[in-house]
Amino acid sequence: MKTREYTFFGGIHPRSYKELSNKYPIEEYLPKSQVIIPLQQHIGAPCTPLVKVNDYVKVGQKIGEANGFVSAPVHSSVSGKVVAIEDRPSSSGKLVKSIVIESDGEFNYDDNIKPNEDINNLKPEEIRYIVREAGIVGMGGATFPTMVKLNPPSDKKIDIVILNGAECEPYLTADHRLMLEKPVDIVHGLLAIMKALGASKGYVGIEDNKQDAIKEIRKACKEYAGVEVAVLKTKYPKGSEKHIIKAITGREVPSGKIPADVGVVVDNVGTAFAIAEAIKYGKPLIERVVTVTGEGIMTPKNLRVKIGTPFRELIECCGGFKGIPGKVISGGPMMGIAQYSIDVPVIKGTSGILVLPEDRIALKNPKPCIKCARCVDACPMNLLPLFISAYSLKNDFDKCEEYHALDCIECGSCSYVCPSKRPLVESIRLAKREILRKRRK
């Protein structure tokens, strides 16, 4: 039987560069001394610290309490002494209040870390409680608290859950390796999400450039009814929530609406794995897989690291810089954030650390727009990036809103194809920020 490949309109096909790291199994890395754990690693309200300087903490101990419905607690990833609670630079580019812990190298687990009941014996509300207390957020980079997704409004019936295994960003291979090495746990997490939501159908969406992962996840799905792999045609940005929903289910999330409005919840495969660990072992979200890669890294690797580990240590673990580094990015090259320091810590949403050499990042001066419309053809949201950008650069944000700037997913496809190297995504991002700021007034 021929495999159906799901796709969508628009998008681009950048070179993947995944061959730099996709053959390397996940290695565990333990921090050398200090970890820096920001009290805000998620979308929503920051946490309130539950410890003070000089306290001794253990692995998995809750050290920050969530404030509000859209928030997630944080936990210690090491055992040791709290040496500071202060503002520290984060990979978001902001200063964030963080708990700094000096590891004692013992990694003693908190006494409250205990396995939960088997998923078959858990009620939906018990699964939601476990997910909330474990501090689990979207691990594809969005960091939206998963507990919120598992509690949709009562008038929205969820019948489909999609696990996003597309990992369409170039260079990144953390999800790919996780699907190869932990397929049973990922499917276990999917079943837990489905039970929490009362959904009858579950998909794991994987791009067709990861045939080995498709094979492993299919094997793990085999014994469960209503769960299957959806093979996605490789195209950027297939991992976008709205596009993976459209590709797999044919349902279109309207402008200004959320996936729950069309009966779907999407989570990352890493999120499902974290849920499985929280249920099986009682383990909160204190570590994740990070791809350290790029032509500027001596030996690219996929590392399982403790939350709070500084980027500097992981770069050193990979043999250090290869040549003169031109740019260090948290995440992938299309949607990641360039870093001004490598002393920022890994957080729950850190999928990769990308180092590009100096000769790969030569900036070109933007030229006037020639109205070629390549950005229009590439935009997967059917927007007109050239006009939104032009109005943004004139500070006419009302006009940007008329052109649906808020529907932009900031995938960067428009900037990638622009022959004049216009600052399209940057100016649209500015417009979105200004529109939302005006709405909050």
Side-chain angles (χ1 to χ4, degrees), residues 16-26 165-181 209-210 212-213 269 288-294 300-303 331-333 351-354:
S16 79
Y17 295 97
K18 292 180 185 287
E19 69 278 5
L20 293 175
S21 58
N22 63 5
K23 300 299 181 193
Y24 298 113
I26 298 168
E167 199 171 47
C168 58
E169 270 267 3
Y171 288 96
L172 303 183
T173 57
D175 288 350
H176 185 179
R177 291 308 312 183
L178 199 60
M179 288 189 285
L180 281 178
E181 299 178 36
N209 62 354
K210 305 176 188 67
D212 47 2
V269 290
R288 66 156 299 140
V289 180
V290 177
T291 303
V292 184
T293 187
K301 293 182 178 181
N302 298 290
L303 298 171
S351 53
I353 299 172
L354 172 62

Side-chain angles (χ1 to χ4, degrees), residues 348-424:
K348 295 174 182 178
T350 306
S351 53
I353 299 172
L354 172 62
V355 180
L356 298 175
E358 203 171 28
D359 60 359
R360 288 289 310 280
I361 60 154
L363 295 175
K364 296 179 180 176
N365 290 327
K367 296 176 182 173
C369 175
I370 57 174
K371 305 290 190 298
C372 66
R374 289 187 192 178
C375 59
V376 178
D377 292 336
C379 179
M381 296 302 293
N382 295 311
L383 300 177
L384 300 173
L386 73 166
F387 291 124
I388 302 173
S389 172
Y391 285 120
S392 176
L393 293 173
K394 293 177 181 175
N395 295 329
D396 189 347
F397 303 117
D398 290 336
K399 206 70 178 174
C400 293
E401 191 169 8
E402 286 180 25
Y403 277 86
H404 305 285
L406 290 181
D407 283 339
C408 173
I409 59 172
E410 303 177 23
C411 66
S413 296
C414 53
S415 292
Y416 183 83
V417 298
C418 178
S420 296
K421 300 305 172 191
R422 304 286 302 163
L424 296 172

